[in-house]
């Protein structure tokens, strides 16, 4: 039995993880579940999986969770606060940690799992974008096994030579071809994108995901974050990772070898495939995913991304090339700007404008320690907040004048 902690269990990846786990009760034992504040959903999950521990960051929500569990007669240790996530990641009963918290909030527990030498299932790409050198060093030092959950990186991992570990430079590889769906605004003209609403941004054509990553997919920032993630996971420079738009989301990414061979991993767009792959690796288990019907799919298309309409991708590519603290600043400014867009305080194109204004003014150097990362993150968030407020007033003014 593999002891499992699911951090971010109430979110899209967390729910998909528990769906796969429920299909294999002989193989996985849920030891801990954790989230931010969704007490109602976490209480249901705890009642179903009966973990020894559950945690919520928000204290009021944690009290609500205790009350809900008491009402159901479920005895589970309820922990409170952000520090509880790190405690759960380090528990000796936990063999495997699913890091599925969204955003920078996932960094401390992801690092804790890496330092503790766990099998680390990494959905939280932001922690690799922010602290790639530190996270990969922790994995190497502790002997942790890092398995990517992002469908593209999981696909690449599956196409690499047998025995390749995350952080190794894979032998014989010329390039990685990272596929992108293009998101909901792929064929929209710039003027229409400028007026896009949060609901339109979150209506992804192929994937059902949390709101932050959905907006990142619409702006193509998600592909930029994935580019940075790929460089750390597969120890390749950004110029050896090519982004290819593939609207059908059936080819999840490809690896090109020096002999001209290109290996691809294909499947229905369903996160349960990469989740099941990483949970059972190196074995295979069923995931409840519908079979891929290529005849029905008909055609698979590929084209280059447009970095003029999707400026966030160009900004992320520049941050990937610059390295050091640039990705930290990019990620922090993006999280603030996306939050403001989702709350109706910014227009969609302002996301890129806020990020660019923060990056231009940021004082960026190398990453020497976690403190460097956290300071840079805090400063970038402050500046992004200011920039969002200034632009937000323009949005409010435009609404007021009609
Ligand atoms: P969701 O928004 O659906 O879920 C986020 C989860 O994180 C929830 O459990 C939420 O708890 C928890 N959370 C949010 N803020 C905090 C916080 N401050 N402290 C602790 N927990 C917090 O996100 P997704 O599942 O879509 O994405 C999770 C991660 O996986 C992201 O990094 C994303 O980029 C990555 N990913 C997601 C994919 C997908 O298909 N969804 C695909 C590939 C990668 P609560 O519900 O209580 O708020």
């Amino acid at each position: 039995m593999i002891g499992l902690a699911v951090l971010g269990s109430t979110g899209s990846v967390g729910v998909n993880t528990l769906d796969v786990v429920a299909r294999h009760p002989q193989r996985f034992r849920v030891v801990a579940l954790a989230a931010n504040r969704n007490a109602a959903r976490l209480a249901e999950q705890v009642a179903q999986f009966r973990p020894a521990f559950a945690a919520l960051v928000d204290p009021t929500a944690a009290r609500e969770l205790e009350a809900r569990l008491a009402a159901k007669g479920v005895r589970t240790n309820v922990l409170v606060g952000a520090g509880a996530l790190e405690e759960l990641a380090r528990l000796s009963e936990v063999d495997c940690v699913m890091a599925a918290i969204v955003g920078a909030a996932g960094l401390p527990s992801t690092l804790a799992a890496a330092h503790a030498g766990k099998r680390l299932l990494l959905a939280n790409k932001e922690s690799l974008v922010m602290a790639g050198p530190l996270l990969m060093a922790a994995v190497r030092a502790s002997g942790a096994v890092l398995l990517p959950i992002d469908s593209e990186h999981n696909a690449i991992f599956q196409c690499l030579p047998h025995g390749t570990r995350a952080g190794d430079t894979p032998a014989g590889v010329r390039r990685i071809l990272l596929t992108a769906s293009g998101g909901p605004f792929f064929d929209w003209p710039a003027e229409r994108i400028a007026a896009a609403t949060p609901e339109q941004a979150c209506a992804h054509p192929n994937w059902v995901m949390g709101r932050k990553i959905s907006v990142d997919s619409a702006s193509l920032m998600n592909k930029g974050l994935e580019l940075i993630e790929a460089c750390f996971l597969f120890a390749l420079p950004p110029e050896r990772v090519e982004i290819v738009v593939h609207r059908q989301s059936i080819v999840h990414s490809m690896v090109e070898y020096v002999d001209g061979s290109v290996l691809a991993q294909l499947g229905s767009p369903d996160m349960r495939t990469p989740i099941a792959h990483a949970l059972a690796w190196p074995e295979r288990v069923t995931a409840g995913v519908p079979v891929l019907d290529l005849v029905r799919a008909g055609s698979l298309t590929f084209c280059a991304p447009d970095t003029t309409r999707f400026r966030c991708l160009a900004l992320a590519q520049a941050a990937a090339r610059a390295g050091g603290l640039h990705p930290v600043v990019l990620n922090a400014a993006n999280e603030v700007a996306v939050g403001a867009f989702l709350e109706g305080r910014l227009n969609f194109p302002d996301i890129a404008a806020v990020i660019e204004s923060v990056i231009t003014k940021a004082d960026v150097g190398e990453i020497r320690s976690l403190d460097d990362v956290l300071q840079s993150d805090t400063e970038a968030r402050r500046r992004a907040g200011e920039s969002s407020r200034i632009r937000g007033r323009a949005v409010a003014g435009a609404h007021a004048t009609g």
Side-chain angles (χ1 to χ4, degrees):
M1 290 287 263
I2 295 173
L4 185 66
V6 184
L7 309 181
S9 64
T10 53
S12 166
V13 171
V15 167
N16 277 314
T17 302
L18 292 177
D19 182 282
V20 175
V21 166
R23 294 167 195 274
H24 305 284
Q26 309 306 326
R27 195 179 263 263
F28 304 108
R29 181 170 48 91
V30 177
V31 175
L33 296 174
N36 189 24
R37 60 165 73 105
N38 190 342
R41 184 172 283 174
L42 188 57
E44 281 169 26
Q45 294 177 335
V46 169
Q48 182 181 353
F49 291 94
R50 304 288 169 135
F53 301 92
L56 283 174
V57 172
D58 183 276
T60 311
R63 280 196 294 278
E64 184 191 334
L65 175 66
E66 279 175 330
R68 285 177 179 269
L69 294 179
K72 291 176 195 277
V74 176
R75 293 157 70 91
T76 283
N77 237 314
V78 174
L79 310 185
V80 190
L85 305 173
E86 291 166 74
E87 269 181 64
L88 296 181
R90 284 193 285 257
L91 283 173
S92 60
E93 307 93 296
V94 168
D95 308 298
C96 176
V97 174
M98 168 57 83
I101 288 170
V102 62
L107 176 61
S109 52
T110 303
L111 274 174
H115 281 296
K118 305 293 184 189
R119 175 190 284 229
L120 173 57
L121 276 43
L122 187 68
N124 177 248
K125 66 191 86 185
E126 294 90 345
S127 55
L128 205 45
V129 169
M130 289 174 74
L134 305 177
L135 184 55
M136 297 314 293
V139 165
R140 268 191 298 277
S142 69
V145 174
L146 174 53
L147 295 166
I149 292 298
D150 235 327
S151 59
E152 294 79 359
H153 304 75
N154 184 271
I156 294 160
F157 183 75
Q158 294 197 45
C159 295
L160 288 176
H162 181 71
T164 308
R165 289 170 57 97
D168 291 349
T169 303
V173 169
R174 184 186 288 150
R175 284 187 314 163
I176 281 173
L177 304 174
L178 188 67
T179 54
S181 71
F185 305 153
F186 168 72
D187 48 8
W188 288 25
E191 314 75 65
R192 191 170 169 213
I193 297 177
T197 64
E199 285 62 40
Q200 288 170 324
C202 289
H204 197 280
N206 305 335
W207 299 94
V208 180
M209 307 181 287
R211 284 167 73 76
K212 191 259 179 184
I213 187 176
S214 295
V215 176
D216 286 348
S217 295
S219 69
L220 292 202
M221 175 56 88
N222 184 48
K223 213 44 57 181
L225 299 178
E226 288 180 7
L227 162 69
I228 299 167
E229 186 185 8
C231 294
F232 285 121
L233 281 175
F234 309 116
L236 289 172
E239 48 285 6
R240 285 173 63 192
V241 182
E242 182 176 342
I243 296 167
V244 182
V245 175
H246 165 54
R247 291 295 282 158
Q248 298 78 21
S249 297
I250 285 176
V251 175
H252 296 305
S253 277
M254 295 170 265
V255 176
E256 181 184 298
Y257 285 88
V258 288
D259 62 4
S261 300
V262 178
L263 301 194
Q265 187 260 356
L266 283 71
S268 301
D270 189 321
M271 282 306 291
R272 289 175 299 177
T273 294
I275 289 169
H277 170 265
L279 277 169
W281 181 86
E283 295 173 20
R284 298 271 178 176
V285 293
T286 55
V289 174
V291 290
L292 175 61
D293 185 343
L294 279 173
V295 172
R296 192 148 173 234
S299 62
L300 304 178
T301 58
F302 301 93
C303 66
D306 175 352
T307 48
T308 308
R309 269 180 314 135
F310 299 100
R311 178 111 194 94
C312 282
L313 178 56
L315 293 170
Q317 286 172 318
R321 284 191 297 271
L325 289 160
H326 280 88
V328 181
V329 174
L330 175 93
N331 180 67
N334 181 56
E335 277 190 39
V336 171
V338 169
F341 169 70
L342 282 170
E343 287 167 14
R345 291 186 282 112
L346 279 186
N347 288 324
F348 191 76
D350 288 332
I351 297 174
V354 165
I355 298 167
E356 191 157 19
S357 78
V358 175
I359 286 186
T360 313
K361 291 184 201 129
D363 178 17
V364 276
E366 289 306 306
I367 295 180
R368 287 157 315 196
S369 67
L370 187 56
D371 275 352
D372 288 347
V373 171
L374 299 178
Q375 270 175 26
S376 191
D377 176 75
T378 306
E379 180 57 16
R381 278 171 201 274
R382 192 187 63 72
R383 286 181 190 267
E386 258 171 32
S387 174
S388 298
R389 271 188 295 282
I390 294 164
R391 283 165 205 281
R393 277 200 288 275
V395 172
H399 289 168
T401 53

